Amino acid sequence: MGVVPAPAGGEFGPNKKLPLGAIIGIIAGGVVVLLVLAAAIIVPLLGRGGGDAGGGAAGDEPAPAASTPEEWVEAYLTAVSEGDAEEAAKYLDTSSYSDELLTDEVLAASLELGAIEDIEVGEAEEGEYSDVTVTATFTIGGTEVSRDFEIYQSEYDGEITMLDGAARVSTYSFDDIGLTVNGVEVPDDALVFPGTYEFGTVLEEFAIEGESTLIVADDKSEEAVTMLRPVLSEAGVASYRELVTASLRECLALKTLNTPCGMDVTGMEKDGYAVVDGAVSRVMSAEGEAALTGLVGEVSDRAVVSTYESFGIDLTVEAQNAAGQRGTYTTYYSGLLSPKVDFAADDPKVVWE
C-alpha cells in the first residue's frame, strides 16, 4: 500500500492556524532557552565576586563584610581600636606607600601609648562621582579626633575602596640617620593606623628635636611628622667632641707649614722673611680651649655633623730671609677649617673642610 501525500493546505499547511497547545509549547521552549542563557552569564559573574562586596582586602584575603561606607569606616576603626592590624589592613588601599608599620607589634605599642575609644561614625555625604565622605570622631588617649574618610564605591558591583584611611609617616630629613616608629625602622615613607607613635633614630648619635611622641591621625598631624628633625643626642655630642678634640690636637702638634686641619702658612712672608717649614708652632688660647670643651656640633647634611665654632689659635713661626738671617713672628691668623664627621660611615672620622 503506497504512502498518500498530505493534501495541500492540510493540517500543517500554510493556511492552517497552529493549535493553542503548540503555541504554548513554543513559548515555553523559548523561556527555557532564555533561562539557560541567563544562568550562563550570571554564574561566571558570581564566581568572580568571591562573596560580599569589598575592595580593601589585599591578595587572596576575604573581603570585609561591611557593605556600606559607614559600616566600612566603623569596622575599620573598631579593628584598629582592638589591635587587630591584619583585619584593619583589609579596609585600606596600601598601594601608594609602604605597609611595614601596619603590624600588630606597632599597633600594640600605639594603643599602649593611647587607647582608641568613643568611636562615632556619621552619615556618608555623596561627592561628585561615586565617591563619598564619611566623618568619624573618636578619642586617642583621651584626645578627641575628628576626620573625614574618603570612600569610593563602585556603581557596577558595590566594591568599596577607602582612599585615605591611614596616615603617612615621612622619612624626610632622616636619610642615612634612619627613622624609627615605635621602635621599628622605617626605610621609606610608610602608612600608620590612626594612633599615638613614638619617633626615634636608628643611629644612637642622633635624637628627635623637640616632642618625639605624636598623635598621627589626620592631615594636620601628618604634616607635624614631616616637621620632625634630627639633632645630636648626648652620645652624639660626646662622640663628636671627642673626635674633633683628638684630631685638632694632632694638628696642633705638627710643625709643618700646613696641617690636615688647615692653619696653612705656606708662602707667608714678612719684610722679606719667609716661614721656615718645620718651625711653626700652633697654640690654642684659653678661649679656644673653653670652646673645644663645650663643643656641641650640629646636623648639617644627612648624618654629617659640623660646627661653625671658632677656636682661638696663636701661630708662632720662624722665618728666614735671602741672606739666611732668621726671625720669630707671631700671628693671630689661624685659617682653621671646619671639622665634619659622617656618623653613617663604618668608621666615623673627622674631615676638615
Side-chain angles (χ1 to χ4, degrees):
M1 184 175 180
V3 177
V4 180
E11 184 179 0
F12 297 103
N15 297 322
K16 182 81 172 179
K17 291 184 179 180
L18 291 174
L20 180 60
I23 294 173
I24 293 174
I26 292 171
I27 293 173
V31 171
V32 171
V33 173
L34 289 174
L35 289 174
V36 171
L37 290 174
I41 294 172
I42 291 171
V43 170
L45 288 176
L46 289 175
R48 288 201 303 267
D52 295 332
D60 297 328
E61 290 289 335
S67 59
T68 68
E70 294 92 341
E71 291 175 348
W72 193 271
V73 171
E74 184 170 7
Y76 166 65
L77 290 175
T78 299
V80 173
S81 70
E82 294 175 349
D84 192 342
E86 183 178 357
E87 176 66 20
K90 296 177 183 179
Y91 296 87
L92 295 176
D93 176 3
T94 60
S95 59
S96 298
Y97 300 103
S98 168
D99 61 356
E100 293 187 33
L101 297 178
L102 303 180
T103 65
D104 286 343
E105 176 190 3
V106 175
L107 181 54
S110 172
L111 294 173
E112 185 70 22
L113 292 170
I116 295 179
E117 300 172 315
D118 307 320
I119 299 171
E120 295 184 7
V121 178
E123 294 184 2
E125 296 184 6
E126 294 187 4
E128 186 175 354
Y129 301 101
S130 296
D131 60 303
V132 297
T133 299
V134 177
T135 300
T137 59
F138 48 96
T139 59
I140 301 179
T143 300
E144 184 173 295
V145 174
S146 177
R147 62 156 293 172
D148 294 337
F149 292 89
E150 299 298 324
I151 306 290
Y152 172 82
Q153 186 165 19
S154 171
E155 296 179 352
Y156 173 70
D157 57 9
E159 182 174 320
I160 296 176
T161 302
M162 183 156 57
L163 304 177
D164 65 343
R168 179 173 66 94
V169 167
S170 172
T171 56
Y172 178 75
S173 296
F174 291 89
D175 290 340
D176 293 340
I177 293 174
L179 180 68
T180 63
V181 178
N182 286 355
V184 177
E185 182 179 356
V186 191
D188 301 297
D189 287 3
L191 295 174
V192 293
F193 297 119
T196 306
Y197 296 92
E198 184 175 5
F199 296 88
T201 60
V202 175
L203 296 181
E204 66 174 2
E205 291 84 5
F206 299 89
I208 302 296
E209 182 180 25
E211 182 57 56
S212 60
T213 301
L214 303 173
I215 291 177
V216 185
D218 53 18
D219 292 342
K220 185 176 181 180
S221 56
E222 191 176 283
E223 183 179 349
V225 176
T226 67
M227 302 303 291
L228 292 175
R229 294 292 183 272
V231 293
L232 278 176
S233 63
E234 291 185 5
V237 170
S239 180
Y240 180 69
R241 183 182 298 158
E242 181 181 348
L243 289 170
V244 172
T245 299
S247 180
L248 181 54
R249 296 219 183 277
E250 288 179 3
C251 289
L252 293 174
L254 297 175
K255 302 297 183 180
T256 52
L257 295 176
N258 195 14
T259 76
C261 308
M263 299 179 288
D264 187 6
V265 293
T266 303
M268 183 179 291
E269 290 188 9
K270 182 178 181 181
D271 300 330
Y273 285 79
V275 178
V276 177
D277 192 11
V280 181
S281 175
R282 300 172 176 91
V283 178
M284 191 148 47
S285 65
E287 292 79 5
E289 289 288 354
L292 186 60
T293 301
L295 181 62
V296 174
E298 59 185 61
V299 181
S300 59
D301 178 39
R302 297 176 181 262
V304 177
V305 178
S306 61
T307 182
Y308 294 101
E309 185 69 66
S310 60
F311 305 99
I313 298 174
D314 298 329
L315 277 70
T316 301
V317 302
E318 286 189 21
Q320 181 174 298
N321 63 14
Q325 296 174 317
R326 288 201 173 197
T328 300
Y329 300 92
T330 299
T331 176
Y332 296 100
Y333 167 77
S334 69
L336 183 66
L337 299 176
S338 177
K340 296 184 178 181
V341 177
D342 184 356
F343 283 105
D346 293 335
D347 183 20
K349 295 180 179 179
V350 178
V351 176
W352 296 85
E353 296 181 347

